[in-house]
Amino acid sequence: MEVCRTIESVRDMVGKARGEGKRIGLAPTMGALHIGHVSLLRRAAEECDFVVVSIFVNPTQFGPGEDFDNYPRPFDRDLDICRKSGVDIVFAPTAGIMYPDENLTWVEVEKLTEPLCGMSRTGHFRGVTTVCAKLFNIVLPDAAYFGLKDAQQAAVIKKMVADLNMALEIVVCPTVREANGLAVSSRNKYLSETQREEASKIYASLLKCEELIAGGETNSSKIVRQMREILDEIAGGEVEYVEIVDAGTLAKVETVKGSVLAAVALKLGRARLIDNIVCRIIQPEAQ
Ligand code: PAF
């Protein structure tokens, strides 16, 4: 496994692999790798012949007062995880390499970035899409791997790739959970043991949504109310949003039909936690 610090070196190595007819997979990350990332790396290694992982805590996706400075950066541990997960190259640029001058070119996906996390994290998705577009241009992967935990991010990146005719496949991998159901996240490091237990109620609220929809409930307000009751039990938790939206457009739905995404964001201590579940209404067979 090689660690590349410059754009030229990663382009050179990936170019050689491509020249040998290898399928290139990219997993963009901000490091602090956990079992959720490992599932992306393993999937990339299964489906591709050459796997690149980028480790870059991207300053342009953090707003004022967010955790950019404190974001965990356990680089040696991350390299160990990559080495054990079949990664060929770790691309770990500095901010000076990724943004050498004042950045005047931004990639912005409209509408999909407005609801859910877009409501409180102004400019966040603009930073994500811009850095992903840059990484895609640098690595030119055949496929890039993202987690479904960040469902809005995955939807936004898919739309960017479609709208800008980028020649790669976006693969979205299932959310990995701790034993108690809490979605694995780099930000779980900010939680105490008690908070981790409390935070498992986020998944309980999503399972409640799934259960209600499976039982035939289609009124979103009623479902959200019951989810909220569970979330309100989280000691010290502050619900930012709990919503049921169309899984494709991310627009709020009053009546559940087709595929919907139930999504939650909640602050607990120093952590802002997000999670979601996709539920599908099974239409009865026409007679
Ligand atoms: O999901 C993340 O870790 C980041 O948003 C990403 C996709 C690596 C872009 O910086």
Side-chain angles (χ1 to χ4, degrees):
M1 189 182 84
E2 294 289 332
V3 180
C4 295
R5 298 285 188 175
T6 65
I7 293 173
E8 294 70 31
S9 60
V10 75
R11 277 199 172 132
D12 195 47
M13 290 194 66
V14 174
K16 283 195 185 110
R18 193 176 302 108
E20 291 164 9
K22 291 185 171 165
R23 179 176 166 83
I24 314 294
L26 168 69
T29 81
M30 299 205 298
L33 303 181
H34 50 62
I35 51 170
H37 293 113
V38 170
S39 77
L40 306 184
L41 305 187
R42 294 222 172 110
R43 176 93 175 259
E46 264 166 44
E47 296 179 355
C48 300
D49 311 301
F50 195 84
V51 177
V52 183
V53 173
S54 60
I55 297 183
F56 178 58
V57 185
N58 173 35
T60 65
Q61 68 187 76
F62 289 79
E66 291 190 350
D67 57 346
F68 175 71
D69 288 334
N70 297 325
Y71 200 84
R73 291 164 170 85
F75 190 62
D76 290 338
R77 189 176 166 274
D78 286 348
L79 291 186
D80 240 31
I81 293 176
C82 289
R83 228 173 259 121
K84 289 178 185 142
S85 308
V87 171
D88 295 285
I89 294 183
V90 172
F91 176 44
T94 58
I97 295 268
M98 288 302 278
Y99 300 104
D101 308 310
E102 185 189 0
N103 202 68
L104 299 178
T105 308
W106 299 95
V107 181
E108 194 148 10
V109 175
E110 297 175 353
K111 286 191 180 170
L112 291 181
T113 53
E114 287 166 13
L116 305 176
C117 293
M119 290 185 301
S120 64
R121 301 193 74 190
T122 315
H124 166 71
F125 288 113
R126 182 178 91 144
V128 170
T129 39
T130 301
V131 81
C132 286
K134 285 162 80 71
L135 291 167
F136 296 167
N137 281 335
I138 293 165
V139 176
L140 297 177
D142 297 287
Y145 294 79
F146 294 89
L148 183 59
K149 184 183 79 68
D150 299 303
Q152 187 174 17
Q153 168 171 283
V156 167
I157 288 167
K158 273 189 164 178
K159 187 68 178 135
M160 169 185 79
V161 165
D163 285 354
L164 297 182
N165 307 98
M166 293 175 162
L168 76 154
E169 184 193 347
I170 299 299
V171 182
V172 183
C173 304
T175 303
V176 176
R177 300 185 178 280
E178 296 189 358
N180 66 7
L182 174 64
V184 172
S185 160
S186 307
R187 290 185 168 102
N188 292 355
K189 288 196 171 62
Y190 301 147
L191 301 173
S192 67
E193 272 314 306
T194 319
Q195 286 172 328
R196 264 174 199 241
E197 263 326 299
E198 286 295 306
S200 69
K201 292 175 190 155
I202 298 174
Y203 187 49
S205 78
L206 296 170
L207 290 179
K208 171 54 85 180
C209 169
E210 187 177 62
E211 177 198 314
L212 290 169
I213 291 177
E217 183 59 79
T218 58
N219 182 318
S220 287
S221 309
K222 283 193 186 159
I223 300 170
V224 164
R225 207 173 306 128
Q226 295 204 46
M227 291 175 72
R228 181 105 208 188
E229 274 172 23
I230 298 174
L231 294 168
D232 284 342
E233 284 170 14
I234 299 179
E238 196 187 310
V239 176
E240 188 182 297
Y241 63 74
V242 43
E243 283 187 17
I244 298 182
V245 298
D246 180 275
T249 63
L250 305 185
K252 249 188 196 176
V253 296
E254 276 172 27
T255 308
V256 174
K257 48 179 175 311
S259 260
V260 293
L261 182 81
V264 172
L266 177 135
K267 287 203 185 107
L268 185 57
R270 285 171 55 221
R272 179 179 179 279
L273 305 170
I274 58 171
D275 201 355
N276 65 79
I277 200 167
V278 178
C279 301
R280 282 178 196 86
I281 284 268
I282 315 289
Q283 304 293 359
E285 298 273 324
Q287 294 294 317

